[in-house]
């Protein structure tokens, strides 16, 4: 009777390719490096083919290895969806959910949301991963995450999304800045300004510029940062102005006595917040239920 590869062996192989290093791959799989190496050797023995070219400096996939990894990733996703199918048959919002959230949403929305979920759905167990949009989407495609909470639109294949709410942008400016006293603020006022932005990779940067219809020649960027908190501190120091999401203003996480937060007159100066999942997941109904719950909770909070 012929032997077949195991899920564990395929996962070891994909992890090595993802991390490019046996030690890091073993850590990600929560096994020793010797266990992982032995598992990959067993996989090659079962398949009767060499998948990796090993040397002291790097790991290189053989031509056949590339095809095996591609198919293995698909198989592992199918396994994840099989498990999800069984979970979906149980009571909604009663099991584990691996949720990816971007940094410009997580600290402002998650604390209150998770507290409400614990109260209303005590059997629901979300595991949160905070990261930038691109790494989160990659993790979703690999089956490492079930659902994403992020700003839309996002260019990604094989996914579906659900709009939750609009998040308006505010202008954050120093107390003595000319725009701080402008009651009918429009995006045209930003032309020629010293505009502080998050570094490349943060979708908030791109969505803010898109919402304000600003081209690179119409503003100056004296400083880039990795967090909104740092950007607002720079505004308080008088270095320039920036755009901040409304949820951060509402949460009070960016409050500073040296910064004025001004709304734009145009309600279209905003970003779209929503959920995203793989098209093939059998948990779509549960994800939409969670989306409706988020919408309802935020609506209730706005009337309190």
């Amino acid at each position: 009777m012929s032997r077949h590869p195991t899920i564990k062996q395929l996962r070891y192989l994909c992890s090595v390719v993802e991390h490019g290093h046996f030690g890091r791959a073993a850590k990600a799989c929560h096994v020793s490096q010797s266990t992982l190496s032995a598992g990959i050797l067993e996989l090659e023995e079962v398949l009767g083919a060499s998948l990796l070219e090993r040397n002291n400096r790097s790991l290189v996939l053989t031509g056949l290895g590339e095809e095996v990894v591609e198919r293995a990733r698909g198989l592992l996703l199918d396994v994840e969806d099989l498990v999800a199918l069984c979970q979906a048959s149980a009571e909604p919002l009663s099991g584990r959910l691996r949720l990816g959230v971007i940094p410009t949403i997580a600290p402002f929305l998650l604390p209150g949301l998770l507290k409400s979920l614990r109260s209303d759905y005590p059997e629901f167990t979300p595991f949160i991963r905070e990261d930038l949009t691109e790494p989160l989407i990659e993790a979703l495609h690999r089956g490492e995450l079930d659902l994403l909470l992020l700003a839309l639109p996002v260019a990604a294949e094989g996914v579906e999304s659900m709009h939750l709410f609009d998040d308006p942008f505010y202008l954050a400016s120093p107390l003595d800045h000319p725009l701080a006293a402008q009651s009918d603020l429009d995006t045209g006022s930003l032309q020629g300004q010293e505009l502080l932005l998050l570094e490349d990779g943060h979708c908030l940067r791109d969505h803010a510029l898109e919402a304000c219809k600003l081209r690179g020649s119409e503003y100056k960027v004296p400083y880039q940062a990795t967090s909104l908190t740092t950007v607002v501190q720079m505004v308080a120091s008088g270095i320039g102005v920036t755009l901040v999401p409304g949820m951060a203003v509402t949460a009070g996480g960016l409050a500073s006595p040296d910064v004025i937060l001004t709304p734009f007159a145009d309600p279209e100066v905003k970003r779209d917040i929503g959920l995203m999942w793989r098209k093939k997941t059998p948990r779509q109904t549960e994800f939409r239920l969670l989306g409706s719950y988020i919408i309802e909770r935020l609506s209730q909070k706005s009337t309190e």
Side-chain angles (χ1 to χ4, degrees):
M1 183 174 179
S2 61
R3 296 169 60 195
H4 293 87
T6 66
I7 297 298
K8 185 179 295 184
Q9 291 167 349
L10 295 177
R11 184 169 286 116
Y12 289 169
L13 174 65
C14 290
S15 183
V16 166
V17 174
E18 177 189 348
H19 295 280
H21 187 275
F22 275 91
R24 290 191 293 269
K27 185 175 181 180
C29 293
H30 307 289
V31 297
S32 67
Q33 184 170 333
S34 60
T35 297
L36 182 132
S37 297
I40 295 177
L41 287 173
E42 289 172 0
L43 174 61
E44 291 179 315
E45 180 184 345
V46 168
L47 296 177
S50 176
L51 305 177
L52 291 172
E53 295 178 6
R54 302 164 176 83
N55 59 49
N56 294 330
R57 296 184 177 180
S58 63
L59 291 171
V60 180
L61 279 172
T62 64
L64 179 60
E66 292 179 359
E67 185 172 348
V68 170
V69 167
E70 182 178 353
R71 291 178 179 243
R73 284 170 172 163
L75 288 170
L76 292 174
L77 273 178
D78 286 342
V79 170
E80 290 290 340
D81 288 340
L82 177 65
V83 174
L85 176 64
C86 297
Q87 293 176 339
S89 66
E91 187 72 20
L93 301 180
S94 62
R96 186 182 71 157
L97 175 72
R98 299 167 301 176
L99 177 66
V101 190
I102 59 175
T104 54
I105 292 179
F108 312 117
L109 185 60
L110 284 188
L113 175 61
L114 293 178
K115 182 178 180 181
S116 297
L117 282 169
R118 278 196 298 269
S119 175
D120 296 337
Y121 297 95
E123 300 302 317
F124 184 51
T125 310
F127 293 87
I128 309 299
R129 173 175 167 182
E130 184 178 328
D131 208 335
L132 300 183
T133 299
E134 187 173 340
L136 289 180
I137 291 176
E138 291 174 356
L140 181 70
H141 283 312
R142 290 194 300 266
E144 296 172 4
L145 294 173
D146 305 308
L147 183 67
L148 305 183
L149 175 58
L150 70 179
L152 303 171
V154 175
E157 297 181 354
V159 299
E160 290 187 2
S161 61
M162 175 184 181
H163 169 77
L164 298 179
F165 60 91
D166 293 330
D167 188 27
F169 283 109
Y170 284 69
L171 179 71
S173 53
L175 292 175
D176 57 353
H177 196 279
L179 294 181
Q182 193 166 323
S183 58
D184 193 22
L185 184 65
D186 61 64
T187 57
S189 302
L190 299 179
Q191 294 189 12
Q193 294 292 331
E194 301 277 344
L195 189 59
L196 306 174
L197 298 171
L198 291 175
E199 292 179 342
D200 288 335
H202 288 267
C203 64
L204 178 67
R205 171 195 180 104
D206 298 329
H207 288 158
L209 293 175
E210 176 63 26
C212 294
K213 295 178 172 56
L214 289 173
R215 295 185 295 270
S217 60
E218 296 175 335
Y219 59 89
K220 305 170 185 176
V221 184
Y223 185 88
Q224 297 183 88
T226 58
S227 74
L228 271 174
T229 302
T230 302
V231 170
V232 173
Q233 290 173 346
M234 295 300 101
V235 171
S237 300
I239 294 178
V241 300
T242 194
L243 296 160
V244 297
M247 67 171 63
V249 175
T250 302
L254 301 179
S256 170
D258 300 314
V259 174
I260 297 294
L261 297 169
T262 309
F264 286 89
D266 185 354
E268 292 303 309
V269 183
K270 59 180 176 60
R271 62 176 182 166
D272 175 2
I273 304 301
L275 297 175
M276 178 180 287
W277 56 82
R278 296 190 307 277
K279 276 186 177 180
K280 292 184 177 181
T281 180
R283 300 178 70 182
Q284 293 190 36
T285 300
E286 182 180 22
F287 297 160
R288 291 191 182 278
L289 175 62
L290 177 60
S292 298
Y293 177 85
I294 295 173
I295 293 172
E296 181 181 358
R297 287 300 305 166
L298 292 177
S299 176
Q300 292 175 355
K301 187 174 180 180
S302 65
T303 59
E304 292 175 355

